[in-house]
Each structure stands twice: as structure tokens, then as C-alpha cells.
Amino acid sequence: MTISAQESATLLETLHNQEGQSLQSLPEKKAVLAYTKLVTTMRSLQWGACLIFLLIGMLAAPMSFETSGNQKINIFWLLGVLLGAHFFSLLLWCISLVVHRRKANYSTSILSSISQHLAPRLDVPPLILDAFMEIRLSGRRAKWLSGRLIHCFWGSYLLGGVASVLFFLMTHQVHFFWETTLLTSSNFATLTEGLNVLPRLVGIPVPSLNDIQQSQWSVASQSESLRQMWAIWLLACVLIYGVFVRGILFLICHVNYRLAHMHFLKSRTHITSVQSAVSSVIDPDVQQPLKHSRSDIHTALPTVTQLPAERECYLFEWSRTIPQVLASRSWHPIASLADQTAFLNANVSAVILINCQVSPDRGSLRFMAQTLTTNTHYYLVGETFVTDWQQALISVGVTHNTIKKLIE
């Protein structure tokens, strides 16, 4: 078995982000192989557990068919034995789904415990185990994985029981009956009619009130057709209300787990790709060779007290009082990515006023580099980081004669 390239990338990113961990002593290929080994082993254990539950169901069901030598079986007692625990477990799962919401329950905790015990035996390093727990057994994924396991195990148990019951009924001739001390035939008719809803929809023969009355303990014998009808109805109820229900819930949990898992992988790889893209764009902007001589960088800036009337004025990420020189003029802010895009698309003769009380950063320089294709002049306002801004602008390609110092 192999894992997807996306999961491999997420694994390596998770390992790099683990606090205090390093991949220097664990090559990437070895890390992926160890992770794959753990994933494969855990999956094999899950399938093995399903097989065990299938065998348990095959062995447990015949015990419910104890006829005591009279070849009579209580219909609803047998149905309660086969489906009672299943419905109780289903109720507990539904309650846990509402109460715990995004949290995992005991089955996920068992998986985590098994993983921790298996890792040393499989020579899986602790950091790989931690990554496995984060990628496969955390967040919303834990809830859906837990549900998938529960329904798979119960579905296997019930399917084994159906196979065993079918074999028993094919090799034994039994009479189906009911008896009660407190209830009446109408009570059993109501219960049976309720269970008849789904079997009737799929064309399964269902017992009538007359069939129920002929199946009381006091009736000496049953016709062959009545026995077959009860046998088919019994198997249909276990299949529909047991195996089919667990199968549908298994598929729902499986699909939700896969969607949550893929969303997690995409989100992690998307973050990584964005970080890589930002690094590849920003770092060259900052570290590229200077396009002007060092004498240009240290040349004193010309100072002005007025702004050219023919140019549009823009304030770049402004966080201080608006300069007095703009009191009688219109101006535009550049405070967001949308503002930057609008400025670049406008392509007008502009003046950008830069607040030199704040030092230049990578994002600011990346935008300034994009303005090189526009007819823009740069006016520095303030004293603290004037030299830093002058050097930074020139380093990204701004010509020295377009940079001035505005005196307020």
C-alpha cells in the first residue's frame, strides 16, 4: 500500500512544524516509509477486527436458536436477541454524536492506544507516530473514523449472524410462535405491523393478524407456508433493520471521513504552497542585486514643501495625521490589496506619500517593485526610517530622482 502524494507532503510539513523535531536524522524517504507502514498495519488490524466480529456473529446467532428439543422458537424473543444489542449500540452512538460533536469517542481512543503500542514494534519513530495521530486521528476526522469503525464492526457481526441463521433455517425445521403473560395478540400485531413497513416496501411477505393468531404457543402445529413466511420475515428484519442500517451509516461516516481528511490535506498543502510562493516572490525582491550604485543610496534626498499639482496623491498604509499639504487636495488611500490593485490598474501620474515613522517590510517592497511600471514619484514623510526607505526603494529598482523628502 502507498499513500497519496498529498498526504506525503502533509506528513513532511507536519514533521517540519513539530516543535523541537528535525528531519536531519530521519530522511524524508524513510519518514514516508515508516508512516506508510503504520497506516498499512492499522488498516490491516481494522479489517482483521471486522473478520473477528463476523465470526462472532456466526457463532453467537445459533445460540439464540435453542429449541429445547421441541423445535419451537419464540419469534420476538429471537428478534430481540438478534437486534436488541444492535439498537442499543446505535442509540448510544447517536447520543455520543450529539453530546461530543467534534470530539472522538472511546473507539478512537482505542485506536490511538493501539497505535502507540504498535509503533515501537514496527520501528516507527515517535515523531512519525505523532504525525499519524495529527493527520489521521484528530479533529473532525476522529469522529467520523470512530463511527466508521463502529458501524463496520456491528455490520460484520450482524452479517455473520444472518449467514448463520440462514444456514440453521435451511438445515432445521422449526415452528415460530409467540407467548406472553401481560401482553395481548393486538400488542404483537401492532409491533409486527410497525416492523412490516420496510419489508413490505421491498416486496417481502409480511405476517397478517391471522398469521399472528395462528402462531400462538397453544397452536399445535403450523403450515409449511407459515413457517417459511416467518423465516423470510425474520431474515428480512435483521437484514433491513440491522445490516442495511449499519451499511448506510458506515458509508455516511466513510464519505465524511474521506472528505474531512482530504480537506485537511488540501488546507495543509495550500498553506505550504502559499508560504513557498511568498518566499519565492518576496525573498528575491529583498535580496536581488542593487540596480544602482551605492553612491546613489547614500545621496542626500532633495527636500520639498509642496506636491506637484498635476499628480494624483496617494497615502501608502498611512497611520498618522494627514499632512497639512493635503488639506486642500484630494487624496486616495492604499491600505489593502484591493487598493494596491486599483492603483496599479489606474496607471496615472501619481505621488505616493510614505510614512517613514514605520520601517519598510517585504510586503511593502513587493508593492513598490510593482509600481516601477507606473509614472510614480515617492515622497518620504517623517524622520525615523528615512534612510531605510531610501535604501529599500532603490534596492527594488526605484530611480533616485523620483524619491524626495517632504517637509511638513
Side-chain angles (χ1 to χ4, degrees), residues 328-395:
S328 59
R329 294 189 56 171
S330 62
W331 54 274
H332 311 279
I334 302 179
S336 66
L337 181 60
D339 294 337
Q340 295 179 10
T341 303
F343 173 83
L344 296 173
N345 292 336
N347 196 23
V348 295
S349 297
V351 169
I352 295 181
L353 277 67
I354 299 174
N355 177 18
C356 291
Q357 299 301 110
V358 179
S359 62
D361 56 28
R362 291 180 173 182
S364 300
L365 295 185
R366 185 170 63 254
F367 169 68
M368 295 303 172
Q370 292 175 304
T371 64
L372 296 179
T373 58
T374 63
N375 184 12
T376 302
H377 285 199
Y378 307 86
Y379 282 60
L380 308 183
V381 184
E383 301 295 337
T384 308
F385 296 104
V386 173
T387 303
D388 294 336
W389 271 105
Q390 179 190 6
Q391 294 178 359
L393 289 172
I394 291 176
S395 71

Coordinates of all heavy atoms in Angstrom, one line a residue, residues 328-395:
S328 N -6.1 70.9 1.3 CA -6.9 71.4 0.3 C -6.9 70.6 -1.0 O -7.3 71.0 -2.1 CB -6.5 72.9 -0.1 OG -5.1 72.9 -0.5
R329 N -6.4 69.4 -0.9 CA -6.3 68.5 -2.1 C -7.0 67.2 -1.8 O -7.1 66.7 -0.7 CB -4.8 68.3 -2.5 CG -4.1 69.5 -2.9 CD -2.8 69.2 -3.5 NE -2.8 68.2 -4.6 CZ -1.8 67.8 -5.3 NH1 -0.6 68.4 -5.1 NH2 -1.9 66.9 -6.3
S330 N -7.4 66.5 -2.9 CA -8.0 65.2 -2.7 C -6.8 64.2 -2.7 O -5.8 64.4 -3.3 CB -8.9 64.9 -3.9 OG -8.2 64.9 -5.1
W331 N -7.1 63.1 -2.1 CA -6.1 62.0 -2.0 C -6.8 60.7 -1.9 O -8.0 60.6 -1.6 CB -5.2 62.2 -0.8 CG -5.9 62.4 0.6 CD1 -6.4 63.5 1.1 CD2 -6.2 61.3 1.5 NE1 -7.0 63.3 2.3 CE2 -6.9 61.9 2.5 CE3 -6.0 60.0 1.5 CZ2 -7.4 61.2 3.6 CZ3 -6.4 59.3 2.6 CH2 -7.1 59.9 3.6
H332 N -6.0 59.6 -2.1 CA -6.5 58.2 -2.1 C -5.7 57.4 -1.2 O -4.5 57.5 -1.1 CB -6.5 57.7 -3.5 CG -7.1 58.6 -4.5 ND1 -8.5 58.7 -4.7 CD2 -6.5 59.4 -5.4 CE1 -8.7 59.6 -5.7 NE2 -7.5 60.0 -6.1
P333 N -6.3 56.5 -0.4 CA -5.6 55.6 0.5 C -5.1 54.3 -0.3 O -5.8 53.9 -1.2 CB -6.6 55.2 1.5 CG -7.9 55.2 0.8 CD -7.8 56.3 -0.2
I334 N -4.0 53.8 0.1 CA -3.5 52.5 -0.4 C -3.3 51.7 0.9 O -2.2 51.7 1.5 CB -2.2 52.5 -1.2 CG1 -2.4 53.4 -2.4 CG2 -1.8 51.1 -1.6 CD1 -1.2 53.6 -3.3
A335 N -4.4 51.0 1.4 CA -4.3 50.3 2.7 C -4.7 48.9 2.6 O -4.7 48.2 3.6 CB -5.3 51.0 3.6
S336 N -4.9 48.4 1.4 CA -5.3 47.0 1.2 C -4.8 46.5 -0.1 O -4.4 47.2 -1.0 CB -6.8 46.8 1.4 OG -7.5 47.4 0.3
L337 N -4.9 45.1 -0.3 CA -4.6 44.5 -1.6 C -5.5 45.1 -2.7 O -5.0 45.3 -3.8 CB -4.7 43.0 -1.5 CG -4.3 42.2 -2.8 CD1 -2.9 42.5 -3.2 CD2 -4.6 40.7 -2.5
A338 N -6.7 45.3 -2.4 CA -7.6 45.9 -3.4 C -7.2 47.3 -3.8 O -7.2 47.6 -5.0 CB -9.1 45.9 -2.9
D339 N -6.8 48.1 -2.8 CA -6.3 49.4 -3.1 C -5.0 49.4 -4.0 O -4.9 50.2 -4.9 CB -6.0 50.2 -1.8 CG -7.2 50.5 -1.0 OD1 -8.3 50.5 -1.6 OD2 -7.1 50.7 0.2
Q340 N -4.1 48.4 -3.7 CA -2.9 48.3 -4.5 C -3.2 47.9 -5.9 O -2.7 48.5 -6.9 CB -2.0 47.2 -3.8 CG -1.5 47.6 -2.5 CD -0.6 46.5 -1.9 OE1 -0.2 45.6 -2.6 NE2 -0.2 46.7 -0.6
T341 N -4.2 47.0 -6.1 CA -4.6 46.5 -7.4 C -5.2 47.7 -8.2 O -4.9 47.9 -9.4 CB -5.6 45.3 -7.3 OG1 -4.9 44.3 -6.6 CG2 -5.9 44.8 -8.7
A342 N -6.1 48.4 -7.5 CA -6.7 49.6 -8.2 C -5.7 50.6 -8.6 O -5.8 51.2 -9.7 CB -7.7 50.2 -7.2
F343 N -4.7 50.9 -7.8 CA -3.6 51.8 -8.1 C -2.8 51.4 -9.4 O -2.6 52.2 -10.3 CB -2.7 52.0 -6.9 CG -1.5 52.9 -7.3 CD1 -1.6 54.3 -7.2 CD2 -0.3 52.3 -7.6 CE1 -0.5 55.0 -7.5 CE2 0.8 53.1 -7.9 CZ 0.7 54.4 -7.9
L344 N -2.5 50.1 -9.4 CA -1.7 49.6 -10.5 C -2.5 49.6 -11.8 O -1.9 49.8 -12.9 CB -1.2 48.2 -10.2 CG -0.2 48.0 -9.0 CD1 0.1 46.6 -8.7 CD2 1.1 48.8 -9.3
N345 N -3.8 49.3 -11.7 CA -4.6 49.3 -12.9 C -4.9 50.7 -13.4 O -5.1 50.9 -14.6 CB -5.9 48.6 -12.6 CG -5.7 47.1 -12.4 OD1 -4.8 46.5 -12.8 ND2 -6.7 46.5 -11.6
A346 N -4.9 51.7 -12.5 CA -5.2 53.1 -12.9 C -4.1 53.7 -13.8 O -4.4 54.4 -14.7 CB -5.4 54.0 -11.6
N347 N -2.9 53.4 -13.4 CA -1.7 53.8 -14.2 C -1.7 55.3 -14.5 O -1.7 55.7 -15.7 CB -1.7 53.0 -15.6 CG -0.3 53.1 -16.2 OD1 0.7 53.4 -15.6 ND2 -0.3 52.9 -17.5
V348 N -1.8 56.1 -13.4 CA -1.9 57.5 -13.6 C -0.6 58.1 -13.1 O 0.2 57.4 -12.4 CB -3.1 58.1 -12.8 CG1 -4.4 57.6 -13.3 CG2 -2.9 57.7 -11.3
S349 N -0.3 59.4 -13.4 CA 0.8 60.1 -12.8 C 0.5 60.3 -11.4 O -0.4 61.1 -11.0 CB 1.1 61.4 -13.6 OG 1.4 61.1 -14.9
A350 N 1.3 59.8 -10.5 CA 0.9 59.8 -9.1 C 2.1 60.1 -8.2 O 3.3 60.0 -8.6 CB 0.4 58.4 -8.7
V351 N 1.7 60.5 -7.0 CA 2.7 60.8 -5.9 C 2.3 59.8 -4.8 O 1.1 59.9 -4.3 CB 2.7 62.2 -5.4 CG1 3.5 62.3 -4.1 CG2 3.3 63.1 -6.5
I352 N 3.2 59.0 -4.3 CA 2.9 58.1 -3.2 C 3.6 58.7 -1.9 O 4.9 58.9 -2.0 CB 3.4 56.7 -3.4 CG1 2.5 56.1 -4.5 CG2 3.2 55.9 -2.1 CD1 2.9 54.6 -4.8
L353 N 2.9 59.1 -0.9 CA 3.4 59.6 0.3 C 3.6 58.4 1.3 O 2.7 57.6 1.5 CB 2.5 60.6 1.0 CG 2.6 62.0 0.5 CD1 2.1 62.1 -0.9 CD2 1.9 63.0 1.4
I354 N 4.9 58.2 1.7 CA 5.2 57.1 2.6 C 5.5 57.5 4.0 O 6.3 58.5 4.2 CB 6.5 56.3 2.0 CG1 6.2 55.8 0.6 CG2 6.9 55.2 2.9 CD1 7.4 55.3 -0.2
N355 N 4.9 56.9 4.9 CA 5.1 57.2 6.3 C 6.4 56.6 6.8 O 6.5 55.4 7.0 CB 3.9 56.7 7.2 CG 4.1 56.9 8.6 OD1 4.9 57.8 9.0 ND2 3.3 56.2 9.4
C356 N 7.4 57.4 7.0 CA 8.7 57.0 7.4 C 8.8 56.8 8.9 O 10.0 56.5 9.4 CB 9.8 57.9 7.0 SG 10.0 57.9 5.2
Q357 N 7.8 56.9 9.7 CA 7.8 56.5 11.1 C 7.7 55.0 11.2 O 7.9 54.5 12.3 CB 6.6 57.2 11.8 CG 6.6 58.7 11.8 CD 7.9 59.3 12.4 OE1 8.8 59.8 11.7 NE2 8.1 59.1 13.7
V358 N 7.4 54.3 10.1 CA 7.3 52.9 10.1 C 8.3 52.3 9.1 O 8.5 52.9 8.0 CB 5.9 52.4 9.7 CG1 5.8 50.9 9.6 CG2 4.8 53.0 10.6
S359 N 9.0 51.3 9.6 CA 10.1 50.7 8.7 C 9.5 49.9 7.6 O 8.4 49.4 7.6 CB 11.0 49.8 9.6 OG 10.3 48.7 10.1
P360 N 10.2 49.8 6.4 CA 9.8 49.0 5.3 C 9.8 47.5 5.6 O 10.6 47.1 6.3 CB 10.8 49.4 4.2 CG 12.0 49.8 4.9 CD 11.5 50.5 6.2
D361 N 8.8 46.8 5.0 CA 8.8 45.4 5.2 C 8.7 44.7 3.8 O 8.6 45.4 2.8 CB 7.6 44.9 6.1 CG 6.2 45.4 5.6 OD1 6.1 45.6 4.3 OD2 5.3 45.6 6.4
R362 N 8.7 43.4 3.8 CA 8.7 42.7 2.5 C 7.5 43.0 1.7 O 7.6 43.2 0.4 CB 8.8 41.2 2.8 CG 10.2 40.8 3.3 CD 10.2 39.3 3.5 NE 11.5 38.8 3.9 CZ 11.9 37.6 4.1 NH1 10.9 36.6 4.0 NH2 13.1 37.2 4.5
G363 N 6.3 43.0 2.3 CA 5.1 43.3 1.6 C 5.1 44.6 0.9 O 4.7 44.8 -0.2
S364 N 5.6 45.6 1.7 CA 5.6 47.0 1.2 C 6.6 47.1 0.0 O 6.3 47.7 -1.1 CB 6.1 48.0 2.2 OG 5.2 47.9 3.3
L365 N 7.7 46.4 0.1 CA 8.7 46.5 -1.0 C 8.2 45.7 -2.2 O 8.5 46.1 -3.4 CB 10.0 45.9 -0.5 CG 10.7 46.7 0.6 CD1 12.1 46.1 0.9 CD2 10.9 48.2 0.2
R366 N 7.5 44.7 -2.0 CA 6.9 43.9 -3.2 C 6.0 44.8 -4.0 O 6.0 44.9 -5.2 CB 6.2 42.7 -2.7 CG 5.7 41.8 -3.9 CD 5.2 40.4 -3.4 NE 4.1 40.5 -2.6 CZ 4.1 40.3 -1.2 NH1 5.3 40.0 -0.7 NH2 3.0 40.4 -0.5
F367 N 5.2 45.6 -3.3 CA 4.2 46.5 -3.9 C 5.0 47.6 -4.6 O 4.7 48.0 -5.8 CB 3.3 47.1 -2.9 CG 2.4 48.3 -3.5 CD1 1.5 48.0 -4.5 CD2 2.7 49.6 -3.0 CE1 0.8 49.1 -5.0 CE2 1.9 50.6 -3.6 CZ 1.0 50.4 -4.6
M368 N 6.0 48.2 -4.0 CA 6.8 49.3 -4.6 C 7.5 48.8 -5.8 O 7.6 49.5 -6.8 CB 7.8 49.8 -3.6 CG 7.2 50.5 -2.4 SD 6.1 51.9 -2.8 CE 5.4 52.3 -1.2
A369 N 7.9 47.5 -5.9 CA 8.6 47.0 -7.0 C 7.6 46.9 -8.2 O 7.9 47.1 -9.4 CB 9.1 45.6 -6.7
Q370 N 6.3 46.7 -7.9 CA 5.2 46.6 -8.9 C 4.9 48.0 -9.5 O 4.4 48.0 -10.6 CB 4.0 45.9 -8.3 CG 4.2 44.5 -8.0 CD 2.9 43.9 -7.3 OE1 2.5 44.4 -6.3 NE2 2.4 42.8 -7.8
T371 N 5.2 49.0 -8.7 CA 4.9 50.4 -9.2 C 5.9 50.9 -10.2 O 5.7 52.0 -10.7 CB 4.8 51.3 -8.0 OG1 6.0 51.5 -7.4 CG2 3.7 50.9 -7.0
L372 N 7.0 50.1 -10.5 CA 8.0 50.6 -11.4 C 7.5 50.8 -12.8 O 8.1 51.6 -13.5 CB 9.2 49.6 -11.4 CG 9.9 49.4 -10.1 CD1 11.0 48.4 -10.2 CD2 10.5 50.7 -9.6
T373 N 6.4 50.1 -13.1 CA 5.9 50.3 -14.5 C 4.9 51.5 -14.6 O 4.4 51.7 -15.6 CB 5.1 49.0 -14.9 OG1 4.0 48.8 -13.9 CG2 6.0 47.8 -14.9
T374 N 4.7 52.2 -13.5 CA 3.8 53.3 -13.5 C 4.7 54.6 -13.4 O 5.8 54.6 -13.0 CB 2.9 53.3 -12.3 OG1 3.6 53.3 -11.1 CG2 2.0 52.0 -12.3
N375 N 4.0 55.7 -13.7 CA 4.7 57.0 -13.6 C 4.5 57.6 -12.2 O 3.6 58.4 -12.0 CB 4.1 58.0 -14.7 CG 4.8 59.3 -14.7 OD1 5.9 59.5 -14.1 ND2 4.2 60.3 -15.4
T376 N 5.3 57.1 -11.3 CA 5.1 57.4 -9.9 C 6.3 58.1 -9.3 O 7.5 57.7 -9.6 CB 4.8 56.1 -9.1 OG1 3.6 55.5 -9.7 CG2 4.6 56.4 -7.6
H377 N 6.1 59.0 -8.4 CA 7.2 59.6 -7.6 C 6.9 59.3 -6.1 O 5.7 59.1 -5.7 CB 7.2 61.1 -7.8 CG 7.8 61.5 -9.1 ND1 8.4 62.8 -9.3 CD2 8.1 60.8 -10.2 CE1 8.8 62.9 -10.5 NE2 8.7 61.7 -11.1
Y378 N 7.9 59.2 -5.3 CA 7.8 58.8 -3.9 C 8.3 59.9 -3.0 O 9.4 60.3 -3.1 CB 8.6 57.5 -3.7 CG 8.3 56.4 -4.8 CD1 9.0 56.4 -6.0 CD2 7.4 55.4 -4.5 CE1 8.7 55.5 -7.0 CE2 7.1 54.5 -5.5 CZ 7.8 54.5 -6.7 OH 7.5 53.5 -7.6
Y379 N 7.4 60.3 -2.1 CA 7.7 61.3 -1.1 C 7.7 60.7 0.3 O 6.7 60.1 0.7 CB 6.6 62.4 -1.2 CG 6.8 63.3 -2.4 CD1 6.8 62.8 -3.7 CD2 7.0 64.7 -2.2 CE1 7.0 63.7 -4.8 CE2 7.2 65.6 -3.3 CZ 7.2 65.0 -4.6 OH 7.4 65.8 -5.7
L380 N 8.9 60.8 0.9 CA 9.0 60.3 2.2 C 8.7 61.3 3.3 O 9.2 62.5 3.2 CB 10.5 59.8 2.4 CG 11.1 58.9 1.3 CD1 12.5 58.5 1.7 CD2 10.2 57.7 1.2
V381 N 7.8 60.9 4.3 CA 7.3 61.8 5.3 C 7.7 61.3 6.6 O 7.4 60.1 7.0 CB 5.8 62.0 5.2 CG1 5.3 63.1 6.2 CG2 5.4 62.4 3.8
G382 N 8.4 62.1 7.4 CA 8.9 61.6 8.8 C 10.4 61.5 8.8 O 11.1 61.8 7.8
E383 N 10.9 61.1 10.0 CA 12.3 61.2 10.2 C 12.9 59.8 10.5 O 14.1 59.5 10.2 CB 12.7 62.2 11.3 CG 12.2 63.6 11.0 CD 13.0 64.2 9.8 OE1 14.1 63.7 9.4 OE2 12.4 65.1 9.2
T384 N 12.2 59.0 11.2 CA 12.8 57.8 11.8 C 13.4 56.8 10.9 O 14.6 56.4 11.1 CB 11.7 57.0 12.6 OG1 11.0 57.9 13.5 CG2 12.3 55.9 13.5
F385 N 12.8 56.4 9.8 CA 13.3 55.4 8.9 C 13.5 56.0 7.5 O 13.3 55.3 6.5 CB 12.4 54.2 8.8 CG 12.2 53.5 10.1 CD1 11.1 53.6 10.9 CD2 13.3 52.7 10.6 CE1 11.0 53.0 12.1 CE2 13.2 52.0 11.8 CZ 12.0 52.1 12.6
V386 N 13.8 57.2 7.3 CA 14.0 57.8 6.0 C 15.1 57.1 5.2 O 14.9 56.8 4.1 CB 14.3 59.3 6.2 CG1 14.7 59.9 4.8 CG2 13.2 60.1 6.7
T387 N 16.2 56.9 5.8 CA 17.3 56.3 5.2 C 17.0 54.8 4.8 O 17.3 54.4 3.7 CB 18.6 56.3 6.0 OG1 18.9 57.6 6.4 CG2 19.8 55.6 5.3
D388 N 16.3 54.1 5.7 CA 15.9 52.8 5.4 C 15.0 52.7 4.2 O 15.1 51.8 3.3 CB 15.2 52.1 6.6 CG 16.1 52.0 7.8 OD1 17.3 51.9 7.5 OD2 15.6 51.9 8.9
W389 N 14.0 53.6 4.1 CA 13.1 53.7 3.0 C 13.8 54.0 1.7 O 13.6 53.5 0.6 CB 12.0 54.6 3.2 CG 10.8 54.0 3.9 CD1 10.4 54.2 5.2 CD2 9.8 53.1 3.3 NE1 9.3 53.4 5.5 CE2 8.9 52.8 4.3 CE3 9.7 52.6 2.1 CZ2 7.8 51.9 4.1 CZ3 8.6 51.7 1.8 CH2 7.7 51.4 2.8
Q390 N 14.8 55.0 1.8 CA 15.5 55.4 0.6 C 16.3 54.2 0.0 O 16.3 53.9 -1.2 CB 16.5 56.5 0.9 CG 17.3 56.9 -0.3 CD 18.4 57.9 0.2 OE1 18.6 58.2 1.3 NE2 19.2 58.4 -0.8
Q391 N 17.0 53.5 0.9 CA 17.8 52.3 0.5 C 16.9 51.2 0.0 O 17.2 50.5 -1.0 CB 18.6 51.8 1.7 CG 19.7 52.7 2.1 CD 20.5 52.2 3.3 OE1 20.1 51.1 3.8 NE2 21.4 53.0 3.8
A392 N 15.7 51.0 0.6 CA 14.8 49.9 0.2 C 14.2 50.2 -1.1 O 14.1 49.3 -2.0 CB 13.7 49.7 1.3
L393 N 13.8 51.4 -1.4 CA 13.2 51.8 -2.7 C 14.2 51.6 -3.8 O 13.9 51.1 -4.9 CB 12.7 53.2 -2.6 CG 11.4 53.4 -1.8 CD1 11.1 54.9 -1.7 CD2 10.2 52.7 -2.4
I394 N 15.4 52.1 -3.6 CA 16.5 52.0 -4.6 C 16.8 50.5 -4.9 O 17.1 50.1 -6.0 CB 17.7 52.8 -4.2 CG1 17.4 54.3 -4.3 CG2 18.9 52.5 -5.1 CD1 18.5 55.2 -3.8
S395 N 16.8 49.7 -3.8 CA 17.2 48.3 -3.9 C 16.2 47.5 -4.8 O 16.5 46.5 -5.4 CB 17.3 47.6 -2.5 OG 16.0 47.5 -2.0

